[in-house]
Amino acid sequence: MNELNLRTAIKAAGGFFLLVAALTLYCQLHGLPGSRVPLYVSVDFAFQTVFAWALGGFLIWRARTRILPLLERGLKEAAMAAAAIFALTLSSALLSMVVWTIGTSIDINHLLFRLVELAPPYGLLAALLVSLAVLRRYQRQSAASSPWLRLPEEPNLTLRKSDVSLIRSAGNYCEINACGRTYLVRVTLKTLAERLADDGFVQVHRTTLVNSASIRFVAPSAPAQRLNIHLNCGMRVPVGRSYTANVEQLTLH
C-alpha cells in the first residue's frame, strides 16, 4: 500500500468513526430525560447505520460508470439512475441489518418493517442525488454554449474562450494564456480540466491544457519522437506520454 492509499484509508476510517460518534451523540441527546436509551444501544445503532451508508456509497461509486451515462440522456434514463441508486442504498441497509444479526435469530418481520420504514428517506435521497446531477449537467451545457469563460474563483476576470490558447498548472494556481497575456487564477488544473472538457479544452500533459481550436498542427520531435503541439500563437507544447491518446483522438476529428 503506497503512501497515498494509506492516507486515503486513514481519512476514510476517521470519517467513519466521526460519523459514528456524531450519530451516537444525536441518539443520546434525542431521548427524553429519564428515558434515554443505554449508550451501547446508541453505539450499536450508529455503527449499523454508518456501515449501511458507507456500503451504499461504495456500491454507488463502483456502479458510477453505468449510472452516470444515464444522466446524460433524458428523464426516463434519469429515473432509471434514481431507481438504481435507491436499490443499491436499500440493499446495503438490508445487508447491514443481516450482518448485525449474525449469531442471533433473524426476525424477518422486523427486517421487512425496517425496509419499509427506510424506503421513503432512501427514495428521497436517490431522487435528490439524481436531481443535483441533472442540474449540474444542464449548468455545464449552458456554460458550454456561452462564448465567455467565467471563473468563479476570479469573478472580475471574463475571457473569451476562443482567446484562451493554453492553461498551465502552477501548484494551486493556473496560468491562463490569452491574447499574449498570462492571468494567474487560484484554481487547480484538475478543476479546470473537468469544467472545460465540453468546451474543447484537452489535457495534453500533467501540467497543461490546450484549446483544441488553437492547435495549428501536431508533429513528433526528433530524436525522441515525442509529440509536440504547435499552437497558432507560436507556442510549442510537449505531449505527455500518458496523454497521447487524447491528442490522437483530436486528430481523428
Side-chain angles (χ1 to χ4, degrees), residues 87-130:
L88 290 173
T89 52
L90 202 60
S91 60
S92 66
L94 175 61
L95 181 59
S96 175
M97 287 185 283
V98 171
V99 169
W100 251 254
T101 54
I102 290 178
T104 63
S105 59
I106 299 177
D107 188 346
I108 301 298
N109 291 330
H110 175 68
L111 289 180
L112 292 176
F113 175 79
R114 283 290 294 156
L115 288 178
V116 172
E117 189 179 41
L118 290 173
Y122 277 33
L124 288 174
L125 175 63
L128 177 62
L129 291 176
V130 170

Side-chain angles (χ1 to χ4, degrees), residues 166-171 173-174 187-193 202-210 226 237-244 246-247:
L166 179 71
I167 301 176
R168 292 189 190 275
S169 174
Y173 289 81
C174 276
V187 60
T188 63
L189 191 72
K190 180 181 178 182
T191 299
L192 286 185
V202 181
Q203 186 160 4
V204 298
H205 192 273
R206 181 175 55 86
T207 61
T208 311
L209 289 177
V210 298
R226 294 184 62 178
V237 181
V239 177
R241 298 187 186 278
S242 301
Y243 301 92
T244 303
N246 292 353
V247 178

Side-chain angles (χ1 to χ4, degrees), residues 19-29 39 42-44 46-47:
L19 281 174
V20 169
L23 194 55
T24 300
L25 180 61
Y26 169 79
C27 292
Q28 288 292 294
L29 296 177
L39 179 61
S42 296
V43 173
D44 184 74
F47 263 101

Side-chain angles (χ1 to χ4, degrees), residues 31-233:
L32 296 175
S35 62
R36 185 169 299 167
V37 297
L39 179 61
Y40 75 91
V41 175
S42 296
V43 173
D44 184 74
F45 171 77
F47 263 101
Q48 179 181 336
T49 303
V50 177
F51 177 79
W53 292 348
L55 180 60
F58 174 76
L59 292 176
I60 293 172
W61 175 255
R62 292 288 295 180
R64 69 190 186 282
T65 55
R66 297 185 179 182
I67 293 176
L68 291 178
L70 294 175
L71 301 175
E72 301 294 333
R73 297 177 185 173
L75 292 178
K76 181 180 178 181
E77 288 77 8
M80 292 172 59
I85 294 174
F86 174 71
L88 290 173
T89 52
L90 202 60
S91 60
S92 66
L94 175 61
L95 181 59
S96 175
M97 287 185 283
V98 171
V99 169
W100 251 254
T101 54
I102 290 178
T104 63
S105 59
I106 299 177
D107 188 346
I108 301 298
N109 291 330
H110 175 68
L111 289 180
L112 292 176
F113 175 79
R114 283 290 294 156
L115 288 178
V116 172
E117 189 179 41
L118 290 173
Y122 277 33
L124 288 174
L125 175 63
L128 177 62
L129 291 176
V130 170
S131 298
L132 291 175
V134 172
L135 177 62
R136 185 181 179 187
R137 183 193 69 183
Y138 283 123
Q139 287 176 338
R140 289 202 311 268
Q141 291 176 345
S142 176
S145 63
S146 172
W148 298 100
L149 173 61
R150 290 184 171 85
L151 300 164
E153 299 82 4
E154 193 69 40
N156 294 326
L157 177 64
T158 302
L159 301 171
R160 192 178 292 274
K161 294 175 184 175
S162 58
D163 291 337
V164 178
S165 56
L166 179 71
I167 301 176
R168 292 189 190 275
S169 174
N172 291 327
Y173 289 81
C174 276
E175 297 176 349
I176 301 177
N177 289 273
C179 298
R181 298 187 61 181
T182 300
Y183 303 89
L184 191 64
V185 179
R186 188 177 177 84
V187 60
T188 63
L189 191 72
K190 180 181 178 182
T191 299
L192 286 185
E194 294 174 353
R195 187 184 299 170
L196 301 176
D198 295 332
D199 295 316
F201 286 82
V202 181
Q203 186 160 4
V204 298
H205 192 273
R206 181 175 55 86
T207 61
T208 311
L209 289 177
V210 298
N211 186 348
S212 58
S214 299
I215 296 177
R216 186 179 179 188
F217 64 90
V218 180
S221 61
Q225 294 299 307
R226 294 184 62 178
L227 291 178
N228 280 274
I229 294 177
H230 296 257
L231 301 177
N232 291 329
C233 62

